[in-house]
Amino acid sequence: MRLTLALAATAAVVAGCSAGGTGDLRAPVQRYLHALGRGDAGAACREFTAHSREQLAEFGAEQLKTPKSCAAVVGALMANPAGARLKALGSAAILHVEAHGETGEVRVRGLARPIDVARQDGRWRIRSAPTGEVD
């Protein structure tokens, strides 16, 4: 089975404080990447918005036949042949951070697309939706 999924969607947060600098945007992405590097699906999922976690859980249940939880989906992806690539992101460098009010983008070496972040409950979290197909 080949799984194509936007890495930012496995992308996918308990983020930094809400005081405005771009360093705050960087924190949830760094925690997410480190969690992937450790193979810690639960920690990776904590970095997503609630809506993103729900979408990943639904995607996994429908497309991957995993239990309906973000951690189950991320765990399945890490167990997949592409899992080594996800774990390698644990040491990926953050290249650029850009804030747009209550949203922003974080560019990471090795990812073609930026990771979107948004404030939720006064904290920065990763915002993404699964995009993929299962062959």
Side-chain angles (χ1 to χ4, degrees):
M1 168 172 77
R2 189 182 106 239
L3 176 65
T4 304
L5 192 68
L7 290 176
T10 23
V13 231
V14 178
C17 67
S18 63
T22 57
D24 295 335
L25 279 81
R26 181 184 305 258
V29 174
Q30 286 176 323
R31 286 191 297 270
Y32 169 71
L33 296 173
H34 290 299
L36 289 178
R38 293 189 315 271
D40 188 342
C45 286
R46 284 191 295 274
E47 301 306 319
F48 286 103
T49 64
H51 184 69
S52 294
R53 285 191 304 270
E54 289 170 18
Q55 287 184 311
L56 279 170
E58 287 176 19
F59 172 83
E62 292 170 9
Q63 300 296 320
L64 305 176
K65 308 303 181 213
T66 64
K68 194 173 179 181
S69 81
C70 178
V73 174
V74 174
L77 293 171
M78 285 195 270
N80 183 286
R85 185 170 174 214
L86 287 173
K87 289 179 182 177
L89 289 172
S91 61
I94 291 178
L95 302 174
H96 181 75
V97 177
E98 190 172 320
H100 309 285
E102 296 296 304
T103 64
E105 295 179 343
V106 179
R107 292 203 172 269
V108 176
R109 178 164 294 157
L111 296 180
R113 295 172 22 187
I115 295 176
D116 293 327
V117 295
R119 286 187 205 242
Q120 182 181 51
D121 301 326
R123 298 173 184 233
W124 288 105
R125 298 183 184 260
I126 296 172
R127 179 182 67 180
S128 68
T131 58
E133 61 188 38
V134 177
D135 293 336

